[in-house]
């Protein structure tokens, strides 16, 4: 279920007067707006407002011709029928946002000059704290009273409306609900309504697609997109009678709570499905996903056949001899040992768990052709030619063949002679989305960047699909994370990829494991699709 779309649909019905029934006995919205105008005039007399605070106030009304008109402070009247976005019910009215407010302003950051936030003092609200109808205060910022040069008009009061007007979060709006005053920066607009009873409704209206679309349509794209206060103040807001406004708010709060509950349940279900997939992989690599068949050819025979085939490839000059050739075996004392050349070492501390009787442990380099990576040179790209992939093309665990770069044939010929990916090879990200792997699923010539390592199993002795799934397990991913090297963007070195310990079952069991994983994954993915 698309809860975001459902939420917006309900908000849209609300601001159009279609969410709750109208009551002809309700006091019309025009009377509410007249009271607001009278209160603003009284505040002007008392010095609480200045003339500039009301100079842009207008009155919007319907003429005898059923068209909408706007009366300005100088007495002039203008037809604004082409500005009215939709019809509202009898008893409703339209108003510019500025006509509902005591002030519309924005905050101001102090002159930092090396100043840091403190753990106490005056709370400093930024756009990060302004969510959709929610004030986000998980990591509040504070300024010391000494350096906090608060401008009087940017001190927040309870029930102020905060709207983000700068950057990617433009449009997020919430109510400031705290009792203590705070300050905010220039990325946040402060909207202080005359009628506090209207705050909840106006917040919901500003969060509706109608207003958010207005904000994006009116933003100015300079160094960083922003919405001017004058544009925001000019927004047309549909105003229902006050009693209907109460009914709308109550209905919206109830509906949105249910939607939030649905969203939470969906998020929890997605997390459960993700955990279940992880558990399936954990069972798979431990030999607990499918039953063992004692008649299957043991993995030890499989590994011996791989070593024999590699010797033949060495004789033919197709690959070079591995100077660190590894053979892992169990000793009479039931401990694990590894022979590298003439040296035998106990590796019990490296073995993460026990595997079934007919399984074996092996270094990744033992079951693959020599593991290498792509070019270390930054290539010159072209508009067409040969596909060039990097780690960013496999972030989802599948190769993204759509968002790709191209290199010319001359460079391809140079690179492809060294590293030539083929169907069913595995590409493993060495940095960026480190540890993510994807299988080559189409026949085509392409090249890879240094951010990718190429894994190719020896003939059909190892299932590429089995290896792909095993790499995704927590056991292998944890090993990769512990092996990262470098500052800034840590890398997974080829040395650590090559020496990764892989649990090897008989080939028949590998295929059964892959089939069972895809069977379970397909079921789990169908559940996710049904909740979207």
């Amino acid at each position: 279920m698309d809860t975001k779309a459902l939420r917006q649909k309900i908000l849209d019905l609300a601001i159009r007067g279609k969410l709750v029934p109208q009551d002809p006995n309700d006091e019309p919205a025009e009377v509410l707006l007249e009271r607001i105008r009278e209160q603003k005039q009284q505040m002007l007399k008392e010095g609480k407002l200045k003339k500039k605070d009301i100079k842009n106030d207008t009155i919007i009304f319907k003429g005898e011709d059923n068209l909408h008109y706007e009366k300005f402070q100088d007495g002039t009247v203008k037809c604004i029928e082409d500005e009215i976005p939709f019809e509202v019910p009898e008893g409703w009215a339209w108003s510019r946002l500025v006509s509902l407010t005591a002030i519309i302003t924005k905050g101001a950051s102090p002159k930092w000059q090396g100043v840091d936030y403190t753990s106490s003092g005056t709370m400093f609200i930024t756009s990060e704290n302004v969510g959709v109808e929610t004030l986000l205060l998980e990591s509040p910022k504070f300024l010391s009273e000494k350096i906090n040069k608060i401008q009087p008009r940017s001190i927040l009061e309870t029930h102020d409306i905060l709207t983000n007007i700068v950057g990617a979060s433009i449009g997020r709006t919430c109510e400031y609900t705290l009792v203590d005053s705070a300050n905010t920066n220039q990325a946040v607009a402060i909207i202080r309504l005359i009628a506090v009873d209207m705050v909840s409704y106006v917040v919901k209206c500003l969060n509706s697609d109608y207003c958010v679309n207005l904000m994006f349509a009116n933003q100015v794209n300079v160094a960083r997109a922003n919405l001017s206060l004058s544009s925001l103040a000019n927004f047309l807001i549909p105003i229902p009678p006050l009693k209907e406004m109460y009914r709308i708010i109550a209905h919206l709060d109830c509906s949105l709570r249910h939607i939030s509950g649905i969203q939470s349940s969906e998020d929890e279900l997605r997390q459960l499905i993700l955990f279940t997939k992880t558990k399936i992989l954990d069972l798979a690599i431990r030999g607990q996903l499918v039953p063992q068949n004692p008649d299957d050819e043991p993995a030890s025979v499989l590994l011996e056949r791989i070593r024999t085939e590699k010797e033949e490839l060495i004789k033919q000059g197709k690959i070079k001899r591995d100077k660190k050739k590894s053979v892992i075996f169990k000793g009479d004392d039931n401990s694990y040992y590894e022979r590298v050349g003439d040296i035998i070492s106990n590796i019990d501390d490296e073995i993460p768990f026990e595997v079934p009787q007919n399984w074996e442990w092996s270094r990744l380099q033992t079951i693959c052709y020599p593991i290498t990576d792509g070019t270390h040179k930054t290539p010159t790209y072209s508009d067409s030619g040969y596909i060039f992939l990097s780690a960013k093309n496999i972030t989802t665990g599948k190769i993204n063949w759509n968002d790709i770069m191209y290199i010319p044939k001359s460079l391809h010929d140079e690179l492809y002679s060294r590293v030539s990916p083929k169907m069913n090879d595995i590409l493993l990200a060495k940095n960026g989305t480190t540890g993510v792997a994807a299988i080559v699923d189409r026949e085509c010539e392409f090249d890879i960047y240094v951010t990718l390592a190429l894994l190719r199993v020896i003939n059909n002795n190892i299932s590429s699909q089995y290896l792909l799934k095993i790499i995704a397990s927590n056991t292998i991913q944890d090993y990769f994370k512990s092996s990262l090297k470098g500052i800034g963007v840590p890398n997974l070195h080829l040395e650590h990829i090559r020496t990764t310990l892989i649990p090897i079952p008989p080939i028949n069991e590998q295929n059964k494991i892959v089939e069972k994983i895809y069977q379970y994954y397909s079921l789990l993915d169908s559940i996710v699709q049904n909740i979207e």
Side-chain angles (χ1 to χ4, degrees):
M1 179 186 295
D2 189 343
T3 53
K4 183 178 180 181
L6 177 59
R7 184 181 186 281
Q8 283 299 332
K9 180 62 178 177
I10 293 174
L11 285 177
D12 185 65
L13 292 173
I15 65 174
R16 292 172 184 265
K18 297 179 179 180
L19 188 65
V20 299
Q22 278 73 50
D23 185 340
N25 297 315
D26 285 345
E27 177 187 81
E30 290 178 355
V31 179
L32 170 63
L33 294 177
E34 179 59 32
R35 277 202 304 273
I36 290 174
R37 288 191 288 272
E38 291 173 355
Q39 189 170 344
K40 292 185 80 169
Q41 287 297 325
Q42 183 61 35
M43 293 173 71
L44 183 64
K45 291 178 182 178
E46 296 172 355
K48 296 177 181 178
L49 292 180
K50 299 178 180 180
K51 285 188 177 181
K52 67 177 183 178
D53 295 327
I54 66 169
K55 70 175 184 177
N56 294 319
D57 287 4
T58 64
I59 301 174
I60 297 174
F61 62 95
K62 263 192 175 184
E64 294 180 357
D65 55 1
N66 212 34
L67 299 179
H68 288 86
Y69 292 86
E70 186 170 18
K71 184 178 180 180
F72 299 91
Q73 290 288 315
D74 61 3
T76 58
V77 176
K78 175 186 176 183
C79 179
I80 59 166
E81 188 63 31
D82 59 342
E83 288 189 58
I84 302 300
F86 48 82
E87 281 295 319
V88 291
E90 191 73 27
W92 285 50
W94 286 96
S95 172
R96 301 286 182 189
L97 181 59
V98 67
S99 299
L100 305 174
T101 65
I103 59 169
I104 297 181
T105 186
K106 60 182 177 180
S109 295
K111 294 181 180 179
W112 291 104
Q113 297 178 343
V115 171
D116 293 325
Y117 293 118
T118 58
S119 58
S120 61
T122 299
M123 184 176 290
F124 190 70
I125 301 294
T126 68
S127 57
E128 296 175 358
N129 303 116
V130 180
V132 177
E133 292 195 39
T134 305
L135 193 61
L136 307 173
L137 296 176
E138 295 174 358
S139 302
K141 301 177 179 70
F142 296 91
L143 298 174
S144 68
E145 297 296 342
K146 182 178 178 181
I147 60 100
N148 184 34
K149 306 298 183 182
I150 301 178
Q151 296 182 7
R153 288 171 68 90
S154 58
I155 299 175
L156 299 180
E157 296 180 2
T158 307
H159 304 308
D160 279 350
I161 296 173
L162 306 180
T163 297
N164 286 346
I165 57 173
V166 176
S169 63
I170 281 180
R172 290 203 312 234
T173 302
C174 72
E175 177 185 357
Y176 182 73
T177 54
L178 303 182
V179 175
D180 294 334
S181 63
N183 192 18
T184 186
N185 66 5
Q186 61 267 36
V188 180
I190 305 168
I191 303 168
R192 188 167 298 151
L193 298 185
I194 294 295
V196 175
D197 288 349
M198 296 177 62
V199 169
S200 183
Y201 171 79
V202 173
V203 166
K204 288 175 170 57
C205 186
L206 290 175
N207 276 312
S208 70
D209 274 350
Y210 159 63
C211 282
V212 171
N213 290 338
L214 276 178
M215 293 181 194
F216 280 104
N218 285 279
Q219 68 183 7
V220 179
N221 292 307
V222 285
R224 193 178 179 195
N226 68 88
L227 177 71
S228 69
L229 292 181
S230 58
S231 294
L232 181 61
N234 203 43
F235 282 7
L236 283 167
I237 305 296
I239 307 296
L242 190 58
K243 287 187 177 180
E244 185 174 346
M245 196 181 295
Y246 294 154
R247 296 196 296 273
I248 289 171
I249 293 169
H251 199 298
L252 278 173
D253 286 343
C254 181
S255 300
L256 297 180
R257 273 198 304 272
H258 284 304
I259 293 174
S260 295
I262 293 171
Q263 182 64 58
S264 296
S265 297
E266 290 180 359
D267 291 343
E268 290 172 4
L269 181 56
R270 287 188 179 92
Q271 287 299 317
L272 179 59
I273 288 173
L274 184 61
F275 172 78
T276 303
K277 285 185 173 182
T278 300
K279 186 62 178 177
I280 289 170
L281 291 182
D282 186 59
L283 292 172
I285 68 173
R286 294 170 183 268
Q288 298 172 2
L289 188 64
V290 299
Q292 274 71 52
N293 185 346
D295 296 328
D296 283 343
E297 176 187 78
S300 58
V301 177
L302 180 153
L303 290 175
E304 184 58 38
R305 187 162 61 248
I306 288 176
R307 285 190 282 269
T308 300
E309 292 187 27
K310 290 187 96 170
E311 283 295 325
E312 184 60 31
L313 291 170
I314 292 169
K315 290 178 183 178
Q316 296 173 10
K318 293 182 178 180
I319 63 173
K320 295 180 179 180
R321 185 175 300 280
D322 185 0
K323 296 179 180 179
K324 296 183 179 181
K325 177 182 176 182
S326 162
V327 178
I328 296 174
F329 60 95
K330 255 192 175 183
D332 293 337
D333 56 357
N334 213 34
S335 289
Y336 284 93
Y337 293 88
E338 181 177 23
R339 180 187 297 114
V340 179
D342 296 330
I343 300 174
I344 297 177
S345 305
N346 183 295
I347 60 168
D348 276 344
D349 58 342
E350 289 190 62
I351 302 297
F353 49 79
E354 281 295 323
V355 291
Q357 186 69 32
N358 56 353
W359 287 42
E360 297 289 339
W361 284 98
S362 170
R363 301 290 182 186
L364 187 54
Q365 63 187 1
T366 300
I367 61 175
C368 292
Y369 282 80
I371 297 171
T372 187
D373 52 17
T375 178
H376 289 229
K377 299 178 182 178
T378 301
T380 300
Y381 297 113
S382 58
D383 295 332
S384 61
Y386 287 84
I387 295 171
F388 188 81
L389 301 181
S390 65
K392 72 180 183 65
N393 294 106
I394 66 167
T395 56
T396 64
K398 292 184 179 179
I399 298 177
N400 180 357
W401 296 101
N402 297 317
D403 183 18
I404 54 179
M405 307 296 287
Y406 294 92
I407 57 174
K409 185 178 186 303
S410 57
L411 181 57
H412 164 72
D413 291 341
E414 175 188 338
L415 301 181
Y416 201 70
S417 62
R418 187 177 76 87
V419 181
S420 51
K422 291 181 173 57
M423 187 78 167
N424 290 323
D425 284 352
I426 292 173
L427 303 179
L428 175 67
K430 292 172 54 192
N431 68 6
T433 51
T434 309
V436 174
I439 201 161
V440 178
D441 55 3
R442 65 169 62 175
E443 292 278 7
C444 70
E445 288 190 19
F446 66 92
D447 302 283
I448 60 174
Y449 192 41
V450 64
T451 55
L452 290 174
L454 178 70
L455 314 180
R456 181 179 299 159
V457 297
I458 297 293
N459 296 335
N460 297 318
N461 296 288
I462 300 292
S463 164
S464 293
Q465 291 287 351
Y466 169 78
L467 183 57
L468 180 72
K469 292 302 180 186
I470 295 313
I471 288 173
S473 69
N474 277 349
T475 298
I476 305 301
Q477 289 298 310
D478 289 345
Y479 167 73
F480 285 160
K481 289 174 185 176
S482 68
S483 303
L484 294 177
K485 302 292 183 182
I487 300 172
V489 181
N491 290 279
L492 185 59
H493 290 190
L494 286 177
E495 172 193 356
H496 296 111
I497 296 173
R498 290 167 179 151
T499 56
T500 304
L501 280 168
I502 302 292
I504 307 294
I507 185 62
N508 286 341
E509 190 169 344
Q510 290 178 40
N511 294 329
K512 291 177 183 177
I513 287 172
V514 170
E515 181 181 356
K516 187 63 69 175
I517 288 174
Y518 278 105
Q519 179 184 335
Y520 287 144
Y521 274 29
S522 177
L523 176 61
L524 294 170
D525 289 341
S526 67
I527 295 173
V528 173
Q529 291 171 4
N530 286 330
I531 65 174
E532 291 179 347

